[in-house]
Amino acid sequence: MSDPTYVQDYQAISEVLNKYIEGCKQAKSSIMKSAFHPLATMYSVGPDGKLTGGAIPILFEGIDKDFRPSPDATAAITRIEIVGTAASARIDANDMSGISFTDFFHLLKVDGQWTVVNKIFQTHVAH
């Protein structure tokens, strides 16, 4: 690790991702909104095999309408990779509002702040 800011960047990215996790647990998009850039996108593949998603407000609407508080849900940031002002991360969550999923995030350091610019995900049967 030759980059002296790596640890600070890692911690800052963890804080951003933890806002997302907490927003999911509490079923409140207001908690996670600051983690995402206003131009961020979210995509997945639906049960029909087709691409679904779009602008990030789709996520916020889904959290507020379809999620229920899940204080006992578990989630872990399983990977963070950082290269300069770009980063990639993975979160695995279990039984978040009855859904288990793996999220992949792309983040950029914009104006000195880490922000999610894209999220793709895979849902799993809840355990």
Side-chain angles (χ1 to χ4, degrees):
M1 282 190 287
S2 59
D3 183 355
T5 66
Y6 182 85
V7 171
Q8 292 91 332
D9 285 333
Y10 189 97
Q11 291 171 335
I13 291 167
S14 295
E15 288 174 22
V16 167
L17 297 175
N18 280 319
K19 289 178 188 176
Y20 167 76
I21 292 169
E22 194 58 31
C24 287
K25 282 183 160 190
Q26 291 190 37
K28 291 183 182 172
S29 70
S30 59
I31 296 169
M32 68 174 64
K33 278 184 181 173
S34 67
F36 292 86
H37 190 276
L39 299 176
T41 58
M42 175 185 79
Y43 289 98
S44 67
V45 174
D48 61 358
K50 306 268 190 236
L51 183 69
T52 182
I56 205 64
I58 294 168
L59 169 65
F60 305 146
E61 292 164 16
I63 293 292
D64 292 336
K65 278 196 323 194
D66 302 327
F67 270 46
R68 66 180 188 278
S70 306
D72 298 328
T74 56
I77 301 168
T78 59
R79 178 178 55 82
I80 296 176
E81 296 179 29
I82 307 165
V83 179
T85 58
S88 179
R90 174 179 171 166
I91 292 177
D92 287 294
N94 191 41
D95 200 16
M96 197 78 72
S97 191
I99 305 166
S100 294
F101 49 85
T102 299
D103 286 316
F104 296 96
F105 295 89
H106 286 129
L107 302 94
L108 292 171
K109 193 172 188 179
V110 180
D111 295 326
Q113 300 294 314
W114 286 100
T115 185
V116 176
V117 295
N118 175 257
K119 164 184 140 76
I120 61 172
F121 67 95
Q122 172 68 50
T123 56
H124 311 282
V125 176
H127 294 78

